[in-house]
Amino acid sequence: MSLLLTEGLGRRFGGLEAVRDVDLALREGEVRALIGPNGAGKTTLVSMLCGRIAASSGRIHFAGREVTRLPAHRRIRMGMAYTFQITSIFAELTVRENVRLAVQRVADDAALELRVAETLACVGLEGRADQRAGDLAYGHQRLVEVAMGLGQAPRLLILDEPTQGLSDGEVAGFVALIRAVARETTVLLIEHNIDVVMALADRITVLNFGRVIAEGAPAEIRADPVVQEAYLGG
Ligand SMILES: Nc1ncnc2c1ncn2[C@@H]1O[C@H](COP(=O)(O)OP(=O)(O)O)[C@@H](O)[C@H]1O
Ligand SMILES: [Mg+2]
């Protein structure tokens, strides 16, 4: 059974069909990359999955339930976590406080501080826990966001361009982190860095003008002439 399933999912913005008729099925445990040119509809698609924006058409099922009209906080409680392109950390709070806020969305119990500490250790930020988040380097701020997603112990972690703006060394660290996370969590990763995609993805879905134009294993996608034309630049 699929952890996440969409049927005919679509979203219009006025006259623009940003996402059209998308059928997506994520198997529990896989790492799926979602790629496509700028404006292809990737952010719009995952925004519908997590309930930040409403679908114009179609359905979304998650963990065996239809969630198409459920509010975002209910989907979070069901095990969906996400980080978006735009940094959403609270700059004035410490790293620990940011992560604590995220963990509290799904659990507020005696084990809270332990979970926060474990999550910080998982992403390698334990040494910066008491720094003001806004004072961190950009790459570390992105890690805080990943920690905020992971702190919710999600069944599905959705990451929208997490390596954007990272140095090569930081990208390598990120790849290792997601490999470790993927042992326990299904991951849906929007990513422009094709090396990161090839290193992490079990399967790749390619979006162009709002539609899925290809889907398959990394080697198949890399060899697909339609994908090369639309995205990989021939
Ligand atoms: N809130 C919005 N209002 C109007 N148009 C939007 C909105 N969000 C996205 N779009 C448009 O939808 C299309 C897909 O955008 P987006 O999902 O952000 O693409 P991607 O993440 O693949 O770069 C683009 O043409 C974009 O301009
Ligand atoms: Mg986007």
Side-chain angles (χ1 to χ4, degrees):
M1 201 193 69
S2 301
L3 177 62
L4 179 88
L5 185 75
T6 72
E7 297 172 305
L9 194 62
R11 171 72 201 205
R12 294 177 155 276
F13 293 110
L16 174 77
E17 280 190 280
V19 172
R20 325 184 219 193
D21 203 25
V22 168
D23 297 330
L24 190 68
L26 260 62
R27 181 178 56 71
E28 181 124 50
E30 78 171 296
V31 176
R32 176 72 60 95
L34 181 61
I35 68 173
N38 277 327
K42 305 179 297 294
T43 296
T44 302
L45 175 57
V46 299
S47 296
M48 287 190 278
L49 298 181
C50 67
R52 284 170 104 214
I53 63 171
S56 306
S57 52
R59 292 167 202 256
I60 305 164
H61 302 265
F62 177 63
R65 265 185 77 181
E66 188 180 347
V67 300
T68 317
R69 280 168 205 83
L70 275 191
H73 68 270
R74 297 276 300 280
R75 299 186 209 190
I76 290 171
R77 288 200 174 248
M78 289 176 68
M80 219 190 261
Y82 45 85
T83 70
F84 276 93
Q85 268 172 293
I86 298 160
T87 302
S88 59
I89 59 173
F90 297 98
E92 299 302 325
L93 300 183
T94 67
V95 171
R96 190 194 309 281
E97 287 163 345
N98 270 283
V99 174
R100 188 186 291 131
L101 280 177
V103 175
Q104 278 172 334
R105 284 186 202 143
V106 289
D108 198 349
D109 53 26
L112 178 68
E113 290 308 321
L114 183 64
R115 286 196 200 216
V116 172
E118 280 174 356
T119 306
L120 288 166
C122 175
V123 301
L125 281 174
E126 65 274 47
R128 300 176 200 274
D130 298 311
Q131 289 182 30
R132 189 178 159 277
D135 291 339
L136 295 184
Y138 180 77
H140 290 130
Q141 293 190 8
R142 303 284 338 204
L143 281 180
V144 174
E145 291 183 62
V146 174
M148 289 173 77
L150 284 178
Q152 296 166 19
R155 286 181 76 179
L156 172 63
L157 178 64
I158 300 172
L159 300 164
D160 193 349
E161 299 196 17
T163 68
Q164 203 181 33
L166 300 192
S167 68
D168 290 349
E170 288 169 338
V171 169
F174 173 82
V175 168
L177 170 62
I178 296 305
R179 276 222 179 92
V181 166
R183 286 187 213 116
E184 296 179 2
T185 309
T186 307
V187 177
L188 176 58
L189 172 71
I190 298 179
E191 179 58 57
H192 271 299
N193 183 328
I194 203 71
D195 295 333
V196 172
V197 170
M198 293 296 162
L200 286 174
D202 296 308
R203 285 178 76 75
I204 300 173
T205 300
V206 187
L207 215 56
N208 198 27
F209 294 112
R211 287 183 191 280
V212 174
I213 59 163
E215 191 174 295
E220 291 172 69
I221 294 299
R222 187 165 239 172
D224 186 325
V226 176
V227 177
Q228 290 185 356
E229 171 89 16
Y231 183 62
L232 298 172

